[in-house]
Amino acid sequence: MTAPRPLSLHVPEPGCRPGDTPDFSDFEIPRAGAVRRPAIDEAPEDMRDMAFSVVRVLNKAGEAVGPWAGLLDAEALRTGLRHMLTLRQFDERMLKAQRQGKTSFYMQHLGEEAVSCAFHMALQDGDMHFPTYRQAGLLIASGYPMTDMMNQIYSNAADPLKGRQLPVMYSARDHGFFTISGNLGTQFIQAVGWAMASAISNDTKIAAGWIGDGSTSESDFHAAMVFASSYKAPVILNIVNNQWAISTFQGMARGGAVTFAARGHGFGIPSIRVDGNDYLAVHAVASWAAERARTSLGPTLIEHVTYRAGGHSTSDDPSAYRSKEEFSAWPLGEPIDRLKRHLITIGEWSEERHTQALAEITDEVRACQKKAEANGTLISGPKPSPRAMFDDVYAEMPPHLQRQRQEAGF
Amino acid sequence: MARMSMIEAIRNAHDLAMDRDRQVVVFGEDVGYFGGVFRCTAGLQKKYGSNRCFDAPISENGIVGAAVGMCAYGLKPVVEIQFADYMYPAYDQIVSEAARMRHRSAGQFTCPMVIRMPTGGGIFGGQTHSQSPEALFTHVAGLKVVVPSNPRDAKGLLLASIEDPDPVIFLEPKRLYNGPFDGHHDRPVVSWKNHELGDVSEDYFTVPLGKAKIRREGSALTVLAYGTMVFVAQAAAEEAGVDAEIIDLRTLLPLDLETIEASVKKTGRCVVIHEATKTSGFGAELSAVVQESCFYHLEAPIVRVTGWDTPYPHAQEWTYFPGPERIKRAFAQVLEG
């Protein structure tokens, strides 16, 4: 027997750090249209390949190709483009507002607009999303008033959440948008519970859970997977792999697994990887999973492969831990450009119409901002009543809280 | 009326709640087919179907997290954590999620759930089947915390908890499941069948949350206790011949300050008893509220009798558990003051 040698710990490192040249050559990307489309009732064990490839619809020429294409007409695609442009404009204005000191914090969606905007189009009214802080596209696409989103971000007098939540931690039950938590991953198992409740109640509604690549390390992720699998809950479990959890690269949470989607195999959950920067692909895969859920075939795990082009939040400086060139080298491109090019390719859009649409959207967002700021910002103007702080802790205020409210002078 | 053990009373409460309200669902580890390791849910799956009473994977945060989601849908889950000692993985879902749902969503989403947990020691459960974590919950805004001490209250408080629109932590002293506890480990357990508090109406009734109950009237001193300790305090008072007023708190959050205040102002002396560890335990809160509201009526310092600040020891249970001897010494101390 040989004498044991001292061990050393393996700490995963990304391939590229500041100053390095980004290299995505080991990221295998199938041609658009190359990945098959299984029947919705195909056995999970027969479709394991779906977790190792990437479903893509839009090719470099801007054409929609393959078995996942053809679900959306030009009008729907123009609507989708509008949603993504709106979200990007919204982000730009709010990012600036934060820099101007009008709020404490903001989190943008740059590069990930297709994920939430396209997914929303595959679900129906009455379904419920359990989102993270980076799916505001679900609200934009559902027609939730942007002014109310801004009121929330500003924690002003018209904030629907009465100044209680961090900016972007929206809640909109009527728009199928569950209240966002700052504690990561908690919503994933809650989505499964909601879906179980729908099944228990013999309802027809389904749920969608959302989690980032980093948060899949949380035990709630694993709880969600085992509950969804055991009870065949009508839920779609989405992992948004945007490559970065603040400064921690996705390989840290992924560990020795080949893909995040492959984790579904241990639970017998059909698992698909999709090009998260391809509006058509995200929508097609979401529709496939929604149909499975709605026909009692159980959960689906979707890994959206995308890239977080901006910082984690306004408190983050990504240049401190990753190459500035990484986003431009990202091989799946940029979602708005890709959908725009597709619409132009099929003769349903033009540069002129794009410029005009962008101008309209910019005006609309600016008008909403003006309206929101009339209700105050975090720093100035009207505020929510401090009295409201004591409300909604319980349905009925217990005596000790009544005393504290009086003591506080409200 | 029927004589019931606390287990039977809890089972009966589940049955009535499920019968009355289709939104009530019951799940947790082993609660379905088997009916729970303490048998509190026996027969419910057979009667109400596995859609409304079912087993869960061994994942406490999964159980509570799924229940939060069910509440968001509109159901009223009653979940069992098999032992309170196992609730730590679920703590984030309870504290950061269930407790704050109403507040953070400005009332859009609520959590009308009940989380039941067998709690406390005295059954040789060692450090992982004996803990009393009530203080970890009473510190959390948005929760209600209930500890019944007898079958009648267990049923009425559980039905009130299920009706309650907010999350309720329902801590069941497992030492009392089968009978009242006289505080002496060398005597056989007395069955609830011979005890007046085991006399439980089979009809639907509730015991309001937030209301304490005076178990024994007296004028010499006030004892604040809950769960198992109510009986230990009674034994101590009888053995010492002390005219103690014993208040069974029943709900720790929100606390019935009115009843506490009236009693301490009357007696001028206060002993606080719980079996959880002393430091930052619920007794500290009780001592503080009594001091805040009754200071000028107190004739002696408040005395706490609690478990020691150690993990719950298997072989030394009876040294750990506050028994009548320690409580009698506390009585003497406050009466001397």
Side-chain angles (χ1 to χ4, degrees), chain A residues 343-372:
Chain A
L343 277 164
I344 291 173
T345 302
I346 61 173
E348 293 286 351
W349 200 238
S350 65
E351 288 292 352
E352 296 71 39
R353 288 176 77 179
H354 194 81
T355 308
Q356 193 191 338
L358 196 55
E360 284 168 15
I361 289 164
T362 307
D363 283 349
E364 189 191 348
V365 175
R366 191 179 293 141
C368 289
Q369 188 179 9
K370 213 173 153 191
K371 239 166 93 183

Side-chain angles (χ1 to χ4, degrees), chain A residues 12-216:
Chain A
E13 266 296 309
C16 178
R17 285 294 193 190
D20 297 340
T21 305
D23 177 13
F24 289 105
S25 58
D26 61 346
F27 177 23
E28 281 180 43
I29 307 166
R31 277 181 302 106
V35 176
R36 73 191 181 98
R37 181 188 169 110
I40 56 158
D41 59 351
E42 186 167 318
E45 59 270 25
D46 294 335
M47 48 177 293
R48 289 177 171 241
D49 54 314
M50 304 301 296
F52 301 102
S53 200
V54 183
V55 172
R56 305 178 69 227
V57 172
L58 293 173
N59 67 15
K60 277 187 181 156
E63 297 155 336
V65 294
W68 295 89
L71 258 63
L72 291 168
D73 62 22
E75 193 49 47
L77 291 176
R78 275 193 292 267
T79 303
L81 185 65
R82 190 172 188 91
H83 291 155
M84 290 200 286
L85 284 168
T86 305
L87 179 57
R88 188 164 293 183
Q89 274 304 306
F90 184 91
D91 272 350
E92 278 182 25
R93 303 293 308 183
M94 290 297 98
L95 198 64
K96 200 176 283 173
Q98 191 275 338
R99 297 297 187 218
Q100 290 167 342
K102 292 174 180 171
T103 188
S104 58
F105 179 78
Y106 188 71
M107 305 180 95
Q108 59 173 345
H109 305 74
L110 190 65
E112 296 180 50
E113 291 89 346
V115 174
S116 50
C117 290
F119 195 96
H120 185 270
M121 297 283 268
L123 264 61
Q124 295 175 3
D125 286 351
D127 295 339
M128 187 64 75
H129 285 283
F130 288 74
T132 81
Y133 42 70
R134 227 179 293 280
Q135 276 88 46
L138 298 170
L139 285 175
I140 299 270
S142 79
Y144 185 81
M146 275 189 283
T147 307
D148 282 345
M149 293 170 74
M150 292 168 172
N151 288 333
Q152 198 281 320
I153 290 164
Y154 288 139
S155 288
N156 63 21
D159 175 2
L161 305 182
K162 305 180 186 179
R164 295 170 183 163
Q165 273 277 44
L166 269 178
V168 313
M169 306 269 176
Y170 313 104
S171 178
R173 187 181 181 129
D174 294 345
H175 286 251
F177 194 95
F178 187 69
T179 160
I180 291 180
S181 176
N183 292 33
L184 298 178
T186 51
Q187 72 285 353
F188 219 50
I189 174 66
Q190 292 163 359
V192 178
W194 195 97
M196 287 168 67
S198 182
I200 287 168
S201 309
N202 305 123
D203 202 344
T204 58
K205 298 173 192 133
I206 63 171
W210 294 85
I211 200 165
D213 48 275
S215 304
T216 60

Side-chain angles (χ1 to χ4, degrees), chain A residues 249-261:
Chain A
F249 88 116
Q250 50 86 21
M252 187 62 89
R254 184 165 46 77
V258 179
T259 66
F260 286 98

